Amino acid sequence: MRKRILIVDDSEDMRQLLTQILEEEELYDLYLAESGVEALAQALRVKPDLILMDMSLPGMTGWEAVSQLRKLDDFKETPIVAVTAHVSPADQKRTRAIGCNEHLGKPFDVIHVLDIVERLLEESR
């Protein structure tokens, strides 16, 4: 059964890059969102198995969106990966504190993205 992944980023280039990386595997159904508000709506609609969340989003930030998702029963256990240019140790600690399972700094290595996605989906079974 194909896993559903929600990719949230306000950069069209980044959404396309992550889509290309994950489409290569042919294992996933991919859904896209450009903002925190759209991410919440998409998550409620498709119930993704994993979320890749940019933290710097216009309006509702990724920080706020993750916090909101974690308050909902459907998303208490859903793996969420912070995909962000905020890479300091304090930023990494903050992403974990709000409920992200992993922190993926930009720019990132393609193999590392696939490893994180595969591992988190395997762990969440």
Side-chain angles (χ1 to χ4, degrees):
M1 183 161 154
R2 292 169 64 94
K3 296 292 186 175
R4 296 173 307 278
I5 298 177
L6 175 58
I7 298 169
V8 185
D9 203 296
D10 59 325
S11 164
E12 183 176 348
D13 289 342
M14 188 57 64
R15 289 191 310 273
Q16 287 179 350
L17 175 61
L18 287 167
T19 297
Q20 284 180 324
I21 291 168
L22 294 168
E23 279 181 340
E24 288 286 318
E25 298 300 298
E26 298 181 0
L27 300 171
Y28 312 116
D29 291 325
L30 304 176
Y31 301 88
L32 306 175
E34 299 178 27
S35 68
V37 171
E38 189 179 346
L40 290 176
Q42 278 281 61
L44 290 168
R45 187 175 67 77
V46 304
K47 303 287 193 286
D49 298 294
L50 182 136
I51 299 171
L52 298 172
M53 179 73 73
D54 182 20
M55 295 290 106
S56 296
L57 297 169
M60 178 187 286
T61 67
W63 309 99
E64 295 165 320
V66 171
S67 294
Q68 290 297 315
L69 286 166
R70 288 299 190 215
K71 291 177 184 174
L72 303 171
D73 288 339
D74 285 344
F75 301 101
K76 289 196 184 298
E77 301 296 322
T78 303
I80 300 176
V81 180
V83 184
T84 181
H86 299 280
V87 295
S88 74
D91 291 326
Q92 292 179 38
K93 186 175 181 178
R94 182 177 172 206
T95 58
R96 295 213 193 271
I98 63 165
C100 291
N101 300 76
E102 285 287 340
H103 183 279
L104 183 62
K106 294 177 185 176
F108 48 74
D109 177 74
V110 172
I111 299 300
H112 190 57
V113 173
L114 293 172
D115 287 346
I116 287 173
V117 167
E118 288 175 25
R119 180 175 51 76
L120 289 176
L121 286 172
E122 185 65 33
E123 289 174 0
S124 68
R125 286 188 185 171

